[in-house]
Amino acid sequence: MSPDTAPTDAEAACFEAGIKFGSLYHQFAGTPVSPDSAPSLETAMEESIENQPHCTEVSVDVRIDELEAALAESTADYTELTGRFLDVEIVVDYEGREVVTRMEMEDSYPLMRLESVRDRA
Amino acid sequence: MSPDTAPTDAEAACFEAGIKFGSLYHQFAGTPVSPDSAPSLETAMEESIENQPHCTEVSVDVRIDELEAALAESTADYTELTGRFLDVEIVVDYEGREVVTRMEMEDSYPLMRLESVRDRA
Amino acid sequence: MSPDTAPTDAEAACFEAGIKFGSLYHQFAGTPVSPDSAPSLETAMEESIENQPHCTEVSVDVRIDELEAALAESTADYTELTGRFLDVEIVVDYEGREVVTRMEMEDSYPLMRLESVRDRA
Amino acid sequence: MSPDTAPTDAEAACFEAGIKFGSLYHQFAGTPVSPDSAPSLETAMEESIENQPHCTEVSVDVRIDELEAALAESTADYTELTGRFLDVEIVVDYEGREVVTRMEMEDSYPLMRLESVRDRA
């Protein structure tokens, strides 16, 4: 690998953060969820992904208002977890570089965004 | 559908129980898990699948001894959830027929088994 | 286990069929899909689930019209696989009992149904 | 966001590449797979993830020798997809920055690695 294509520590930190996000979303998408079961799912999502290397903090909020609105339009009392019901923040620390990433609804579309990359010190 | 191929209520109850088991296993297989995060994952697995129709009770135990044995053989402090780390019981009640099903290790192989089918009354 | 709660072969066949359905749905729910990539996903879904014990045939159709309608309402050219885009048939043969099961849209809701249970002979 | 924490295009490209990898791994981990069904699964994994934004190429090889070795030790003729059976390369192009990433076995452990980050021009 030539020197000018070798990744920087900050780039590697962003790669690691992306892995956590793709893992969280695709591992749990489709999980049956209701307003009552949402808290236990949030906790499990946070604690499982926090196991992954360099992941210092995961914060998951199931949007109960959005979930209740979806359930009001159907006869079921649960639905399957998708991005429209989630606000997520994931913080990664890799070799002293701290990366903050978020997934939030934007114009009815769940968007994963790289918020900041900085030296932790 | 001819009368002699129409399913009985007990057969439909067993079908429903199978759906819960396949859902639980394939939704959560691959989830990062450690001895510390196992309790929250057990609770989330139980509460999410209990949302599904006709599912009265889900009981999940992550086999901590098996998990610790697997981790002792690697440099990681977490691994990914598979059947060898799970004991699961799922009870379904469909039109008065109660079905009890279990997944347990048998000769190092995770086996899903239909334990009993009976009238609930 | 008392004799009057031991499952019949037909009940065990229905349990097996349910496992295949829950597996198929929750393994693949969330997979990124477009009209162009749908055929390869159908084939992979069929061939992977046909590996499971007693599963003789899996037939998956991604509803391209439904998919294109969903994409027309967004700026993206792909979405994530959910039940509303799927017609599925799964046939299980267990100890000579053949079970046919289907998942189809019914009133905008994807429904898994046990179609028939009969002696294969 | 202050200017010195705003991500560079290269960092954003690495974040995007990580999302693809986490998505691919956790969407398909647990899929039933045999030597016969492996080719269709490889194609579906490639085509589905290539749908994701900025993803120009996905290349998946199921390690048939590793799969056959695992099956030789059991009575089953299929198993569930995990990292030990996969070699994967994912190429992302974001705002003119091309990122090449790989997942390969290293000392019996599947490792996701950022190979190179360069200007595409």
Side-chain angles (χ1 to χ4, degrees), chain C residues 44-62:
Chain C
M45 290 173 72
E46 294 169 349
E47 292 192 4
S48 64
I49 300 301
E50 280 169 359
N51 281 312
Q52 291 189 323
H54 317 294
C55 187
T56 53
E57 190 176 337
V58 178
S59 175
V60 177
D61 278 303
V62 171

PDB file of all heavy atoms in Angstrom, chain C residues 44-62:
ATOM      1  N   ALA C  44     -31.778 -16.521  -3.804  1.00  0.00           N
ATOM      2  CA  ALA C  44     -31.023 -16.799  -2.584  1.00  0.00           C
ATOM      3  C   ALA C  44     -31.956 -17.164  -1.432  1.00  0.00           C
ATOM      4  O   ALA C  44     -31.647 -18.063  -0.643  1.00  0.00           O
ATOM      5  CB  ALA C  44     -30.176 -15.587  -2.205  1.00  0.00           C
ATOM      6  N   MET C  45     -33.087 -16.491  -1.331  1.00  0.00           N
ATOM      7  CA  MET C  45     -34.047 -16.797  -0.266  1.00  0.00           C
ATOM      8  C   MET C  45     -34.561 -18.224  -0.431  1.00  0.00           C
ATOM      9  O   MET C  45     -34.641 -18.998   0.535  1.00  0.00           O
ATOM     10  CB  MET C  45     -35.210 -15.798  -0.281  1.00  0.00           C
ATOM     11  CG  MET C  45     -34.793 -14.392   0.157  1.00  0.00           C
ATOM     12  SD  MET C  45     -36.097 -13.127  -0.029  1.00  0.00           S
ATOM     13  CE  MET C  45     -37.222 -13.584   1.293  1.00  0.00           C
ATOM     14  N   GLU C  46     -34.906 -18.590  -1.663  1.00  0.00           N
ATOM     15  CA  GLU C  46     -35.412 -19.940  -1.920  1.00  0.00           C
ATOM     16  C   GLU C  46     -34.359 -20.991  -1.591  1.00  0.00           C
ATOM     17  O   GLU C  46     -34.626 -21.952  -0.850  1.00  0.00           O
ATOM     18  CB  GLU C  46     -35.826 -20.076  -3.408  1.00  0.00           C
ATOM     19  CG  GLU C  46     -37.014 -19.209  -3.784  1.00  0.00           C
ATOM     20  CD  GLU C  46     -37.261 -19.132  -5.280  1.00  0.00           C
ATOM     21  OE1 GLU C  46     -36.398 -19.571  -6.068  1.00  0.00           O
ATOM     22  OE2 GLU C  46     -38.330 -18.617  -5.669  1.00  0.00           O
ATOM     23  N   GLU C  47     -33.169 -20.842  -2.153  1.00  0.00           N
ATOM     24  CA  GLU C  47     -32.144 -21.878  -1.994  1.00  0.00           C
ATOM     25  C   GLU C  47     -31.639 -21.988  -0.554  1.00  0.00           C
ATOM     26  O   GLU C  47     -31.318 -23.095  -0.092  1.00  0.00           O
ATOM     27  CB  GLU C  47     -30.981 -21.619  -2.952  1.00  0.00           C
ATOM     28  CG  GLU C  47     -31.356 -21.818  -4.408  1.00  0.00           C
ATOM     29  CD  GLU C  47     -30.154 -21.854  -5.346  1.00  0.00           C
ATOM     30  OE1 GLU C  47     -29.003 -21.807  -4.866  1.00  0.00           O
ATOM     31  OE2 GLU C  47     -30.376 -21.954  -6.565  1.00  0.00           O
ATOM     32  N   SER C  48     -31.576 -20.872   0.174  1.00  0.00           N
ATOM     33  CA  SER C  48     -31.075 -20.958   1.547  1.00  0.00           C
ATOM     34  C   SER C  48     -32.075 -21.672   2.453  1.00  0.00           C
ATOM     35  O   SER C  48     -31.700 -22.571   3.206  1.00  0.00           O
ATOM     36  CB  SER C  48     -30.732 -19.571   2.092  1.00  0.00           C
ATOM     37  OG  SER C  48     -31.874 -18.759   2.188  1.00  0.00           O
ATOM     38  N   ILE C  49     -33.346 -21.318   2.361  1.00  0.00           N
ATOM     39  CA  ILE C  49     -34.335 -21.941   3.236  1.00  0.00           C
ATOM     40  C   ILE C  49     -34.579 -23.403   2.845  1.00  0.00           C
ATOM     41  O   ILE C  49     -34.886 -24.242   3.696  1.00  0.00           O
ATOM     42  CB  ILE C  49     -35.634 -21.123   3.264  1.00  0.00           C
ATOM     43  CG1 ILE C  49     -35.366 -19.710   3.789  1.00  0.00           C
ATOM     44  CG2 ILE C  49     -36.715 -21.804   4.106  1.00  0.00           C
ATOM     45  CD1 ILE C  49     -34.776 -19.632   5.199  1.00  0.00           C
ATOM     46  N   GLU C  50     -34.433 -23.725   1.560  1.00  0.00           N
ATOM     47  CA  GLU C  50     -34.577 -25.137   1.136  1.00  0.00           C
ATOM     48  C   GLU C  50     -33.515 -26.037   1.766  1.00  0.00           C
ATOM     49  O   GLU C  50     -33.675 -27.260   1.762  1.00  0.00           O
ATOM     50  CB  GLU C  50     -34.537 -25.247  -0.391  1.00  0.00           C
ATOM     51  CG  GLU C  50     -35.867 -24.883  -1.051  1.00  0.00           C
ATOM     52  CD  GLU C  50     -35.776 -24.721  -2.561  1.00  0.00           C
ATOM     53  OE1 GLU C  50     -34.680 -24.866  -3.131  1.00  0.00           O
ATOM     54  OE2 GLU C  50     -36.827 -24.427  -3.171  1.00  0.00           O
ATOM     55  N   ASN C  51     -32.439 -25.445   2.306  1.00  0.00           N
ATOM     56  CA  ASN C  51     -31.435 -26.224   3.033  1.00  0.00           C
ATOM     57  C   ASN C  51     -31.987 -26.785   4.343  1.00  0.00           C
ATOM     58  O   ASN C  51     -31.487 -27.780   4.853  1.00  0.00           O
ATOM     59  CB  ASN C  51     -30.227 -25.343   3.417  1.00  0.00           C
ATOM     60  CG  ASN C  51     -29.265 -25.113   2.276  1.00  0.00           C
ATOM     61  OD1 ASN C  51     -28.868 -26.046   1.591  1.00  0.00           O
ATOM     62  ND2 ASN C  51     -28.871 -23.865   2.081  1.00  0.00           N
ATOM     63  N   GLN C  52     -33.025 -26.119   4.896  1.00  0.00           N
ATOM     64  CA  GLN C  52     -33.482 -26.498   6.247  1.00  0.00           C
ATOM     65  C   GLN C  52     -34.183 -27.858   6.232  1.00  0.00           C
ATOM     66  O   GLN C  52     -34.773 -28.266   5.214  1.00  0.00           O
ATOM     67  CB  GLN C  52     -34.394 -25.396   6.813  1.00  0.00           C
ATOM     68  CG  GLN C  52     -33.606 -24.102   7.117  1.00  0.00           C
ATOM     69  CD  GLN C  52     -34.415 -23.073   7.880  1.00  0.00           C
ATOM     70  OE1 GLN C  52     -35.619 -22.913   7.655  1.00  0.00           O
ATOM     71  NE2 GLN C  52     -33.761 -22.353   8.789  1.00  0.00           N
ATOM     72  N   PRO C  53     -34.135 -28.586   7.333  1.00  0.00           N
ATOM     73  CA  PRO C  53     -34.651 -29.951   7.353  1.00  0.00           C
ATOM     74  C   PRO C  53     -36.120 -30.030   6.925  1.00  0.00           C
ATOM     75  O   PRO C  53     -36.932 -29.199   7.334  1.00  0.00           O
ATOM     76  CB  PRO C  53     -34.499 -30.369   8.824  1.00  0.00           C
ATOM     77  CG  PRO C  53     -33.477 -29.469   9.391  1.00  0.00           C
ATOM     78  CD  PRO C  53     -33.584 -28.177   8.649  1.00  0.00           C
ATOM     79  N   HIS C  54     -36.448 -31.041   6.129  1.00  0.00           N
ATOM     80  CA  HIS C  54     -37.822 -31.350   5.735  1.00  0.00           C
ATOM     81  C   HIS C  54     -38.437 -30.319   4.795  1.00  0.00           C
ATOM     82  O   HIS C  54     -39.625 -30.397   4.496  1.00  0.00           O
ATOM     83  CB  HIS C  54     -38.750 -31.496   6.963  1.00  0.00           C
ATOM     84  CG  HIS C  54     -38.153 -32.265   8.085  1.00  0.00           C
ATOM     85  ND1 HIS C  54     -37.858 -33.602   7.998  1.00  0.00           N
ATOM     86  CD2 HIS C  54     -37.756 -31.866   9.318  1.00  0.00           C
ATOM     87  CE1 HIS C  54     -37.319 -34.001   9.138  1.00  0.00           C
ATOM     88  NE2 HIS C  54     -37.240 -32.982   9.954  1.00  0.00           N
ATOM     89  N   CYS C  55     -37.661 -29.351   4.323  1.00  0.00           N
ATOM     90  CA  CYS C  55     -38.194 -28.306   3.458  1.00  0.00           C
ATOM     91  C   CYS C  55     -38.003 -28.721   2.012  1.00  0.00           C
ATOM     92  O   CYS C  55     -36.883 -28.778   1.528  1.00  0.00           O
ATOM     93  CB  CYS C  55     -37.484 -26.985   3.743  1.00  0.00           C
ATOM     94  SG  CYS C  55     -38.208 -25.584   2.877  1.00  0.00           S
ATOM     95  N   THR C  56     -39.090 -29.045   1.308  1.00  0.00           N
ATOM     96  CA  THR C  56     -38.952 -29.564  -0.051  1.00  0.00           C
ATOM     97  C   THR C  56     -38.985 -28.471  -1.110  1.00  0.00           C
ATOM     98  O   THR C  56     -38.360 -28.607  -2.159  1.00  0.00           O
ATOM     99  CB  THR C  56     -40.040 -30.611  -0.374  1.00  0.00           C
ATOM    100  OG1 THR C  56     -41.317 -30.033  -0.087  1.00  0.00           O
ATOM    101  CG2 THR C  56     -39.862 -31.845   0.478  1.00  0.00           C
ATOM    102  N   GLU C  57     -39.716 -27.369  -0.844  1.00  0.00           N
ATOM    103  CA  GLU C  57     -39.777 -26.328  -1.868  1.00  0.00           C
ATOM    104  C   GLU C  57     -40.109 -24.962  -1.270  1.00  0.00           C
ATOM    105  O   GLU C  57     -41.018 -24.830  -0.452  1.00  0.00           O
ATOM    106  CB  GLU C  57     -40.834 -26.686  -2.910  1.00  0.00           C
ATOM    107  CG  GLU C  57     -40.785 -25.767  -4.117  1.00  0.00           C
ATOM    108  CD  GLU C  57     -41.770 -26.171  -5.196  1.00  0.00           C
ATOM    109  OE1 GLU C  57     -42.162 -27.361  -5.223  1.00  0.00           O
ATOM    110  OE2 GLU C  57     -42.147 -25.303  -6.000  1.00  0.00           O
ATOM    111  N   VAL C  58     -39.349 -23.968  -1.710  1.00  0.00           N
ATOM    112  CA  VAL C  58     -39.619 -22.580  -1.341  1.00  0.00           C
ATOM    113  C   VAL C  58     -39.750 -21.777  -2.626  1.00  0.00           C
ATOM    114  O   VAL C  58     -38.907 -21.896  -3.519  1.00  0.00           O
ATOM    115  CB  VAL C  58     -38.479 -21.983  -0.493  1.00  0.00           C
ATOM    116  CG1 VAL C  58     -38.769 -20.511  -0.163  1.00  0.00           C
ATOM    117  CG2 VAL C  58     -38.287 -22.787   0.781  1.00  0.00           C
ATOM    118  N   SER C  59     -40.823 -20.995  -2.735  1.00  0.00           N
ATOM    119  CA  SER C  59     -41.035 -20.166  -3.909  1.00  0.00           C
ATOM    120  C   SER C  59     -41.253 -18.730  -3.452  1.00  0.00           C
ATOM    121  O   SER C  59     -42.164 -18.462  -2.665  1.00  0.00           O
ATOM    122  CB  SER C  59     -42.260 -20.690  -4.665  1.00  0.00           C
ATOM    123  OG  SER C  59     -42.565 -19.851  -5.740  1.00  0.00           O
ATOM    124  N   VAL C  60     -40.375 -17.808  -3.895  1.00  0.00           N
ATOM    125  CA  VAL C  60     -40.441 -16.410  -3.463  1.00  0.00           C
ATOM    126  C   VAL C  60     -40.644 -15.501  -4.664  1.00  0.00           C
ATOM    127  O   VAL C  60     -39.896 -15.583  -5.641  1.00  0.00           O
ATOM    128  CB  VAL C  60     -39.133 -15.996  -2.747  1.00  0.00           C
ATOM    129  CG1 VAL C  60     -39.179 -14.504  -2.372  1.00  0.00           C
ATOM    130  CG2 VAL C  60     -38.905 -16.845  -1.506  1.00  0.00           C
ATOM    131  N   ASP C  61     -41.656 -14.640  -4.607  1.00  0.00           N
ATOM    132  CA  ASP C  61     -41.839 -13.611  -5.624  1.00  0.00           C
ATOM    133  C   ASP C  61     -41.801 -12.252  -4.944  1.00  0.00           C
ATOM    134  O   ASP C  61     -42.625 -11.969  -4.060  1.00  0.00           O
ATOM    135  CB  ASP C  61     -43.199 -13.773  -6.315  1.00  0.00           C
ATOM    136  CG  ASP C  61     -43.163 -14.810  -7.408  1.00  0.00           C
ATOM    137  OD1 ASP C  61     -42.331 -14.649  -8.335  1.00  0.00           O
ATOM    138  OD2 ASP C  61     -43.925 -15.783  -7.327  1.00  0.00           O
ATOM    139  N   VAL C  62     -40.870 -11.413  -5.368  1.00  0.00           N
ATOM    140  CA  VAL C  62     -40.878 -10.018  -4.915  1.00  0.00           C
ATOM    141  C   VAL C  62     -41.877  -9.277  -5.795  1.00  0.00           C
ATOM    142  O   VAL C  62     -41.817  -9.347  -7.033  1.00  0.00           O
ATOM    143  CB  VAL C  62     -39.480  -9.376  -5.040  1.00  0.00           C
ATOM    144  CG1 VAL C  62     -39.554  -7.868  -4.765  1.00  0.00           C
ATOM    145  CG2 VAL C  62     -38.503 -10.044  -4.084  1.00  0.00           C
TER     146      VAL C  62
END
